[in-house]
Amino acid sequence: MRFLVTAVLVTVMFTPPASTIINHRFYRGIDGGLECATCTVLISLVDQLAEVNNQTIIEAFDSFCVMLPPKLGNPCQLFAEIFGPLIIQMVAEGANADDICRGIGLCYQQPGQKMCSLYPKTLKFDKKRISYHQYSTRKHLKSNWNVKLTNEKWSICDVPLLNLICVLYKNVFDNHVPFDDVDHDRHSPSQSLRGSSWRGKDCNDGRADIYPGRKPELLKDVKFDSNCNGIWGFDNKTGKSYEEQFCDNTGQRGVVVIGDSVGAHFHAPQEWFDPQLLTKESLKYLPFALENELDWPQLSLVTGYMDSVWDVAKGPTDSIYKRIRERNRCNHRNYQNTAVNGDSSFDAITTVEALRLNPKQDYPVLIVLELVGNDVCNGHPANETLDYMTTEQQMHDNLIKILTEVNQTAPADSKVLIVGMADGDFLYQFLGNRTHPFGRWRNDLTYADVYEWWNCMQVTPCTGWLSNDATLRSLTTQRAMNLSGVMKNLAKTHKHFWSNLEVAYIDCPINTVINRYIFEHGSQTGYQLIEPVDGFHPNQLGQALSAAEVWRQMELKMPNFLGPLNRNNEEIIKVFGDQGGH
Ligand SMILES: *[C@@H]1O[C@H](CO)[C@@H](O)[C@H](O)[C@H]1NC(C)=O
Ligand SMILES: *[C@@H]1O[C@H](CO)[C@@H](O)[C@H](O)[C@H]1NC(C)=O
Ligand SMILES: *[C@@H]1O[C@H](CO)[C@@H](O)[C@H](O)[C@H]1NC(C)=O
Ligand SMILES: *[C@@H]1O[C@H](CO)[C@@H](O)[C@H](O)[C@H]1NC(C)=O
Ligand SMILES: *[C@@H]1O[C@H](CO)[C@@H](O)[C@H](O)[C@H]1NC(C)=O
Ligand SMILES: *[C@@H]1O[C@H](CO)[C@@H](O)[C@H](O)[C@H]1NC(C)=O
Ligand SMILES: *[C@@H]1O[C@H](CO)[C@@H](O)[C@H](O)[C@H]1NC(C)=O
Ligand SMILES: [Ca+2]
Ligand SMILES: [Ca+2]
């Protein structure tokens, strides 16, 4: 199942758009795309593990499967069982990971396309030799595993048991509301699968009228906590309920993020990709991370609420929610994160529908709308044109659509902060010639190599910026800046256009943060704020610094978005401690 796991790992790494499985197949990419990428990463990892631990590749495969959490270990062994004989044979013939995945048949060259290789320098097998292995794999699958392949190309979704990955993938990645939510109020008592990692924990999953963010009315929370903020009961001294005494008219508000993988905080730990760091301990959290789409919203810049307790996600947490809660403890648990990896302004409308907003019953919300890259990243330049990028007109129309929809359901007096797009040109410059975690052991892979491989298979998170073509990078930035201009302008012209919303704009904090960091720490240090595996997203530190920067700008330009300071905070802490935690 290591394979299955890696499949998910690698797939999310490429921030797929909402629906990536079509007709039970992975959809993204060419020449085998995501499945090829997955296979290559898996085989190369096991191959490196064998070397690190002085084992045969099959021994390495076995110890690897054993390291996996029990749930994932069996399918891992199944994969090793199915393809073990082929792998052993090909390794004996000197094959590298690219060769083997071609032999297995998950990587191939589509007509009219380049052949994509992660390690082009060590390729051993010519076309004829590959064809031979592909042929025997198909025969092997048919006669020994009873898998009939109707198509010339095959997919892991075609293989019984291995296709569990496709089901899992669909369940995890196509749902944006909590899985575990008996009363359907869109808040959950459990963490993953869009639960409390994403939205305030439900303190009563048997009643749909009890959830974080609602205005309490049930006798002002005397008998129980109707809004899950941990504040309830009756104070004999004052003759008032605590909710009324501490929270009434304190300008409560929730924090919401609508956005992409930056808002969701995509993070694929390097401990899972560097053979020298890979341990049973580090893999312990893999199932949890997968159920969260490899996102860490609980540590993210908008809705982060806790310090990391995971060795595979180190660094400080800072967030808008944390700070809003600190200003007014009555806002405890009032957060919603509906960001989705890969979302552009076209996709964001569907995540608006996943929000829980009741205009009559809820407190107003501060909505951060951040779509910092995918509008210029989701696609591949054909004929050197930029046609795949969102145009200024489309961005304008999409924003109007999104905000009109938000206005329908948002409680009066809600705020929308539109965050401008990033300039990702620095990524290639900072990382291009550095060694990727996957190439550390043999010192044989730079970020530029990895980016090129992704681009070749068209599974990159961003063709335009993760490219050695400086002109394309600069054009991508230009379009992003043009689209930011549309956002900024719209925030100005439509500031009070929607009766329930006040709209404002700030520039993307990431570039400001990076520039300041380089200024303080030296010109070669920029990479320290980037996710090491995907070489694209801001990492934990980058997220925290970005939160501080967004906050700084809001304090400066729109202090009314933050709400007043609650003078009862000390008292709340005294009476209710951590308010039941998160
Ligand atoms: C490699 O060896 C180390 C140290 O002996 C051990 O902790 C680790 O589990 C081994 N890894 C594999 C894949 O066998
Ligand atoms: C690897 O194992 C072989 C056989 O057990 C042994 O001869 C060799 O010294 C080992 N190499 C390392 C680097 O441990
Ligand atoms: C408040 O009053 C009720 C009934 O009068 C009593 O049962 C309760 O113990 C009192 N609570 C406190 C904290 O004094
Ligand atoms: C490139 O442009 C030509 C002529 O406009 C067109 O026929 C061809 O399909 C285009 N190629 C791609 C990959 O879009
Ligand atoms: C990597 O690229 C940076 C920026 O272009 C440059 O300053 C640095 O010297 C390069 N390092 C190596 C090892 O080539
Ligand atoms: C950005 O806008 C400028 C001014 O309207 C225009 O000249 C330029 O072509 C645009 N660039 C891109 C890449 O969209
Ligand atoms: C915003 O929502 C309110 C309440 O649903 C509605 O009355 C108003 O017409 C909406 N405004 C716009 C511009 O859609
Ligand atoms: Ca619920
Ligand atoms: Ca309460």
Side-chain angles (χ1 to χ4, degrees), residues 363-401:
Y363 286 119
V365 283
L366 164 61
I367 299 171
V368 178
L369 175 60
E370 62 79 36
L371 297 160
V372 303
N374 294 308
D375 281 279
V376 297
C377 289
N378 279 352
H380 300 274
N383 293 346
E384 315 271 299
T385 73
L386 304 182
D387 288 350
Y388 63 93
M389 296 182 190
T390 303
T391 65
E392 295 181 35
Q393 184 63 47
Q394 286 170 330
M395 177 56 81
H396 177 268
D397 296 349
N398 288 345
L399 288 176
I400 297 280
K401 248 189 247 166

